[in-house]
Amino acid sequence: MAILNSKGALFSLIDMDITRTNTFVKLGSQPQRVAWAASITCCDCSSDTSSKRHERYRKQPQNIDLPELHPKKKKKPFPVPIKKMLQASRQDKRLARMRIEKPLEPPKNGLLVPELIPVAYEVLDNWKVLIRGLSQLLNVVTVYGCRRCPQVHVGPVGHQIQDCYGTGSQRRNSHHSWVRGSINDVLIPIESYHLFDPFVRRVKHETRFDYDRIPAIVELCIQAGVDLPQYPSRRRTAPIRMIGKKVIERGGFVDEPKPHRSEDCIALLAELDTFSNQQGQSSTPSNAKELAEKTLKAYLNVRRGVEQLMRKYTVKACGYCSEVHVGPWGHNVKLCGAFKHQWRDGKHGWQDAVVDEVVPPNYVWHVRDPDGPPLRSSLRSFYGKAPAVVELCVLAGAETPDEYRPMMRTDVVIPDSGEARMAA
């Protein structure tokens, strides 16, 4: 028997056989024979409805947890499984022992990948739009940074969540010491050494001042085919040859040209670096919502393009600190001060980088109501988080991207303080 309730859900009733049993029950002073009837009715919800609900939640979950914070006293996990790395290393050693050249494909052999050159130009254009948009949106949305720890907050007032672990946090009961932030608090600058030829000798500690430090995204785009007169790069026509880890043919040596330092070049350099785009130097936008949507779209395109470039071009990251190097192998600069750097003489522990190390998301607490009360520690389990760039653009009027909605927990109802204590 099927029943359709008022909400449109289909239920089926399953009637079981009724079994009667005779038992003696003492009523008063005389035992009496009483017949008990047992009836079981099962209510079974339609499997089609539950499966559709589960499929809808799987496509758009209500909330998801952020990636776990990596402890500072441990090395970062390898993006590539260690078994595959050892297998490739054994294969290289076997070929080197037999004096057979390693088979290299672009860009591992120094040549460009033609289909990725437009992607590199697109990433660089979106990078300029992102920096220009953030510098203007900082005049619309306030950004705070803690004076004692790396925490950042985007909103009209700083939050009251007690999660500060900086100097003197015990005296302040783990409350943050908020000061006015800048674009570098929203978009964390990750720099890399610019190399005219990435396949020459490594950057040494004594020669580190001979190379310019530029944003890692810009260096990645230059090595992927973008030509900038300020930062020249060698374009090979013949591939390099390697036996094992030794380069046997680099295509000859080429003198590095001197970079151009005209007024146009200096203006272009200002568009590529966040340090020259601080708050107050840019004008207030006339249409903040339109600028926020444009800036958010540029940010998503930058991450998407960098991920596409990193599938081919090698980017190295230190397994202990935030240092990044764009090239086939890392540099030898001894400036790593992370966990057990004394054992490595200050050298970095290079491994393959991931997108979050080149473009750090810098998660901040999501403010659902800018005009409401500040965020409190008692309700922190109900608040969501989002990258600082996304949070800044959303508070400026942009629409929340679908991929960040579960992370920001927009569908979770924030209870009152009294209700939060009764929540499981």
Side-chain angles (χ1 to χ4, degrees), residues 37-329:
S39 177
I40 301 176
T41 304
C42 274
C43 181
D44 184 21
C45 183
S46 176
S47 60
D48 296 339
T49 306
S50 61
S51 62
K52 291 180 179 178
R53 187 184 302 111
H54 177 73
E55 183 68 19
R56 186 169 58 253
Y57 182 80
R58 187 182 65 82
K59 291 182 179 180
Q60 187 63 45
Q62 189 179 25
N63 61 80
I64 58 176
D65 295 330
L66 295 178
E68 296 182 0
L69 292 177
H70 183 74
K72 294 183 178 180
K73 293 187 177 181
K74 283 187 178 181
K75 192 176 185 296
K76 301 175 186 177
F78 291 102
V80 181
I82 190 66
K83 291 185 178 180
K84 292 186 178 180
M85 297 173 58
L86 294 177
Q87 184 180 3
S89 178
R90 287 193 295 266
Q91 181 68 17
D92 293 344
K93 290 181 179 179
R94 190 180 302 112
L95 295 177
R97 199 179 303 115
M98 300 171 60
R99 305 299 297 176
I100 300 177
E101 293 185 16
K102 183 192 301 186
L104 298 175
E105 297 181 356
K108 306 295 183 183
N109 59 0
L111 303 180
L112 296 177
V113 182
E115 56 268 20
L116 290 182
I117 295 178
V119 178
Y121 275 98
E122 183 180 357
V123 170
L124 192 63
D125 293 339
N126 285 285
W127 177 253
K128 297 176 185 178
V129 173
L130 175 61
I131 294 178
R132 193 184 311 113
L134 289 178
S135 61
Q136 296 181 16
L137 290 177
L138 285 175
N139 298 323
V140 179
V141 181
T142 310
V143 175
Y144 293 95
C146 183
R147 190 182 302 172
R148 304 297 182 181
C149 72
Q151 284 280 344
V152 177
H153 181 71
V154 181
V157 293
H159 65 73
Q160 298 179 0
I161 299 177
Q162 299 169 275
D163 57 352
C164 181
Y165 54 87
T167 306
S169 59
Q170 296 179 353
R171 298 192 303 267
R172 292 178 281 108
N173 294 329
S174 298
H175 284 286
H176 292 279
S177 178
W178 297 116
V179 294
R180 199 65 177 266
S182 63
I183 187 175
N184 289 328
D185 295 318
V186 179
L187 194 63
I188 298 178
I190 300 296
E191 294 185 339
S192 175
Y193 288 104
H194 169 65
L195 301 178
F196 172 71
D197 189 357
F199 292 91
V200 295
R201 301 190 184 106
R202 298 190 182 189
V203 180
K204 297 182 180 180
H205 186 78
E206 297 78 13
T207 61
R208 64 186 185 277
F209 296 111
D210 299 337
Y211 303 90
D212 293 332
R213 296 275 292 181
I214 62 177
I217 294 179
V218 179
E219 177 63 17
L220 178 61
C221 294
I222 291 174
Q223 294 190 17
V226 175
D227 292 324
L228 294 179
Q230 303 86 350
Y231 301 113
S233 181
R234 182 178 179 180
R235 306 303 181 193
R236 281 185 167 83
T237 57
I240 66 171
R241 299 165 57 194
M242 295 182 63
I243 293 181
K245 295 183 179 180
K246 183 178 180 182
V247 180
I248 60 176
E249 179 60 38
R250 289 188 173 92
F253 292 94
V254 178
D255 294 334
E256 182 176 353
K258 295 183 179 180
H260 299 278
R261 296 300 181 184
S262 61
E263 295 182 359
D264 296 338
C265 296
I266 296 176
L268 179 59
L269 293 179
E271 297 180 359
L272 301 176
D273 203 343
T274 57
F275 289 98
S276 58
N277 289 271
Q278 299 295 334
Q279 182 183 3
Q281 299 180 1
S282 301
S283 59
T284 303
S286 57
N287 192 345
K289 182 177 180 180
E290 182 179 355
L291 180 61
E293 301 231 348
K294 185 178 179 181
T295 305
L296 182 58
K297 182 179 179 181
Y299 174 73
L300 299 178
N301 291 337
V302 165
R303 286 189 59 90
R304 194 178 303 112
V306 168
E307 183 179 4
Q308 189 174 356
L309 292 176
M310 289 178 62
R311 294 173 186 170
K312 290 290 185 177
Y313 289 89
T314 305
V315 180
K316 296 293 184 179
C318 180
Y320 301 93
C321 68
S322 60
E323 180 70 10
V324 170
H325 183 78
V326 183
W329 43 71

